[in-house]
């Protein structure tokens, strides 16, 4: 395995992925473990890094995600928006106590008003911009999930972003609230018609918003207008629709193209919702963290150093 | 104990209260048990009624609340809005298998668009209207709680209402979500300044709404701008503020007087929030269910029958 320049680490709360790159930025090997920062193996962060890179050549490593949070390996202060690969790279800090690799941890981003933070998503957006240069001028990136992120890119920089707690609130409502009473145990989202109804209720709630319509789920079920098995889809539609409603309220008349970054099944729901809010069909990128880590390493000037380090590592 | 005309039962999910009235509608005795419909004693509904009315004269009884739901003693179909005491009384149904008392159960109310339901709150509103005739022409009643109800009264009728899941969502967020991470265990709302900040963030969110600001709680805490111990107050302010924001969006320019029905500590928070949304100081009624049950019995013509039944009951 020659000509290796970089190890990239996408290190979140629940999982750790490692990428090995050649000199052209191509990923030549990928590994994944369940060693998120809350589920580390014995020996902690250093042991996890050693184990996931075992047999890989020593070279510089770049990490992004919750590994840079207060509960991570080292807390790396947030970089303010507007931000691009260069400003994020300037905020990187080197982790101590790492023998095998020079490890640099990327900062997340923060925004003052409304107060918001992200860690890891900024790296995906930087990667997506490298994949899709046409989005440099103007785009909105949506990263669906536990805490969905909506980020606005203008002139190649992330200028603003918002977090909506869609996935977490959905799980709480379906696991613990009155809305789940009577829903068959293990009922999973499956009915796109019920999902679409939820999306449209959120949209048509106008300035009142979907929070004012949550209980209508229960009322419709009691009235026989919503099948109990369809409640998860309807609530999913309400909450994902609410993300789009918020975006529309914030950016009325907005024509920035929409780009989704996330796994396919979830992105499919966002594509349906986008259609009901008058957005053109969004572009979908499954994962851009590998490319983002490479971009950050490049912007930080670590790739040249990486070569040297790699060679010295091989020599010892 | 003479001249007794009625027993009123406020029978909800978690508690049962019984009132004994004289011929003028004065409550001459009150009892409370933890026998909500999900916590019945052995023997179920009939045993609970027998036990809570032990030693009271046999007379007609009227019940309101979840006792009339699908999980209650008997499911009594909802009455549609617009509704008043007379139309609610017409919807009452007699429960079977009750030996000691002729028991009539009041219906709840339902609304088609947006789909919504209530059971028990309609009786409180009817009672409040009897206490405060000046609200007949036009008023908005707010019943804070697990599922807060906002009801609009016009020309003596409940014409529309909305449920906001404030209390339930607050509990879910504080017990299970990322927002509670780092919050001292057992931290209770105590800081009205933090509460007021939350109210104002909800208000200033405009058409985007407080759901888009939930995660700002976390971001402010990480930035050191919000003390972890103040998170419960801030979130309480966000969610209660959201109720007022929704109401303002729905009824812009609305000048109907606001009347709160609920326990004092919670109503105090709504009074603070009301001030930040430009409402005049709301009137507060601690509890109006006893009066509401009497009004419904009267509208149903049960008070005359009650006398007869009472006499025959005493004779046996």
């Amino acid at each position: 395995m020659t000509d290796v320049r970089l190890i990239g680490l996408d290190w979140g709360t629940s999982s750790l992925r490692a990428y090995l790159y050649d000199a052209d930025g191509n990923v030549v090997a990928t590994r994944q473990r369940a060693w998120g920062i809350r589920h580390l193996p014995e020996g902690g962060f250093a042991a996890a890094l050693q184990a996931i890179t075992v047999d890989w050549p020593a070279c510089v490593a770049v990490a992004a995600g919750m590994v840079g949070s207060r509960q991570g390996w080292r807390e790396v202060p947030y970089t303010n928006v507007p931000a691009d690969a260069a400003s994020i790279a300037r905020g990187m800090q080197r982790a101590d106590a790492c023998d095998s690799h020079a490890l640099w941890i990327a900062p997340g981003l923060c925004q003052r008003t409304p107060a918001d933070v992200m860690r890891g998503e900024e790296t995906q957006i930087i990667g997506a911009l490298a994949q899709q240069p046409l989005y440099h001028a103007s785009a909105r990136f949506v990263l669906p999930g536990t805490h969905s992120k909506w980020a606005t890119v203008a002139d190649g920089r992330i200028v603003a972003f918002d977090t909506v707690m869609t996935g977490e609130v959905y799980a709480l409502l379906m696991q613990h609230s009155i809305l789940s009473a009577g829903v068959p145990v293990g009922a999973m989202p499956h009915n796109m018609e019920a999902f679409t109804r939820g999306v449209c209720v959120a949209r048509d709630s106008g300035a009142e918003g979907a929070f004012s319509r949550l209980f209508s789920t229960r009322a419709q079920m009691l009235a026989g207008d919503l099948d109990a098995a369809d409640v998860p889809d309807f609530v999913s539609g309400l909450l994902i629709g609410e993300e789009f409603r918020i975006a529309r309220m914030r950016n009325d008349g907005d024509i920035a193209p929409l780009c989704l970054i996330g796994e396919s099944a979830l992105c499919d729901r966002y594509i349906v919702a986008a259609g009901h809010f008058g957005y053109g069909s969004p572009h979908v990128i499954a994962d851009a963290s590998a490319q983002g880590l490479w971009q950050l390493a490049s912007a930080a000037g670590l790739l040249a150093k990486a070569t040297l380090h790699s060679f010295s590592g091989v020599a010892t």
Side-chain angles (χ1 to χ4, degrees), chain A:
Chain A
M1 206 181 278
T2 58
D3 206 18
V4 160
R5 287 297 170 92
L6 182 71
I7 289 170
L9 302 164
D10 175 8
W11 207 332
T13 301
S14 54
S15 77
L16 166 61
R17 274 184 303 172
Y19 307 100
L20 188 64
Y21 304 81
D22 69 17
D24 298 320
N26 300 307
V27 173
V28 294
T30 303
R31 289 175 181 161
Q32 177 156 359
R33 299 287 183 275
W35 297 330
I37 68 164
R38 289 191 185 161
H39 310 278
L40 294 169
E42 195 175 340
F45 289 102
L49 177 57
Q50 290 279 7
I52 202 165
T53 60
V54 69
D55 300 330
W56 285 2
C59 61
V60 74
V62 168
M66 290 301 283
V67 67
S69 71
R70 203 164 295 171
Q71 293 74 40
W73 193 329
R74 172 186 181 135
E75 185 176 6
V76 181
Y78 294 104
T79 293
N80 290 308
V81 289
D84 57 13
S87 70
I88 295 169
R90 279 196 299 277
M92 282 185 176
Q93 295 195 355
R94 186 162 172 171
D96 302 325
C98 178
D99 297 333
S100 59
H101 306 275
L103 173 66
W104 292 82
I105 301 178
L109 295 188
C110 73
Q111 173 179 279
R112 289 296 297 180
T113 310
D116 216 327
V117 292
M118 63 167 64
R119 278 200 191 272
E121 293 90 350
E122 74 295 329
T123 302
Q124 296 233 36
I125 295 167
I126 296 300
L129 283 171
Q131 282 182 36
Q132 300 286 337
L134 68 97
Y135 289 151
H136 271 258
S138 169
R140 182 147 299 119
F141 288 92
V142 182
L143 295 91
T146 305
H147 300 154
S148 291
K149 306 287 182 185
W150 285 64
T152 302
V153 166
D155 297 328
R157 300 188 305 172
I158 302 168
V159 294
F161 64 96
D162 307 288
T163 302
V164 190
M165 293 174 65
T166 308
E168 182 162 14
V169 169
Y170 172 80
L172 291 177
L173 291 173
M174 286 301 100
Q175 287 166 22
H176 301 289
S177 85
I178 183 72
L179 302 188
S180 66
V183 174
V185 174
M188 297 292 289
H190 67 290
N191 180 341
M192 287 307 283
E193 188 274 329
F195 172 80
T196 300
R197 272 176 66 187
V199 168
C200 293
V201 167
R203 182 193 63 197
D204 299 341
S205 70
E208 296 172 33
F211 190 67
S212 73
R213 300 295 192 271
L214 274 184
F215 192 73
S216 76
T217 312
R218 179 80 184 155
Q220 290 177 84
M221 206 184 96
L222 290 171
D225 293 334
L226 180 66
D227 194 89
D230 290 338
V231 164
D233 284 292
F234 181 79
V235 173
S236 166
L238 261 185
L239 296 179
I240 291 174
E242 177 69 358
E243 288 189 43
F244 283 87
R245 192 198 65 84
I246 293 166
R248 272 286 176 234
M249 288 296 173
R250 185 166 303 167
N251 305 287
D252 194 29
D254 176 36
I255 53 159
L258 213 58
C259 178
L260 295 164
I261 306 177
E263 57 100 1
S264 158
L266 190 52
C267 286
D268 284 349
R269 295 187 161 243
Y270 280 72
I271 291 171
V272 169
H276 288 279
F277 280 83
Y279 284 94
S281 190
H283 188 77
V284 178
I285 295 176
D287 183 15
S289 59
Q291 192 143 9
L293 288 160
W294 176 266
Q295 294 297 322
L296 294 182
S298 172
L302 293 172
L303 297 180
K305 295 177 201 162
T307 309
L308 294 173
H309 193 279
S310 173
F311 287 167
S312 72
V314 170
T316 56

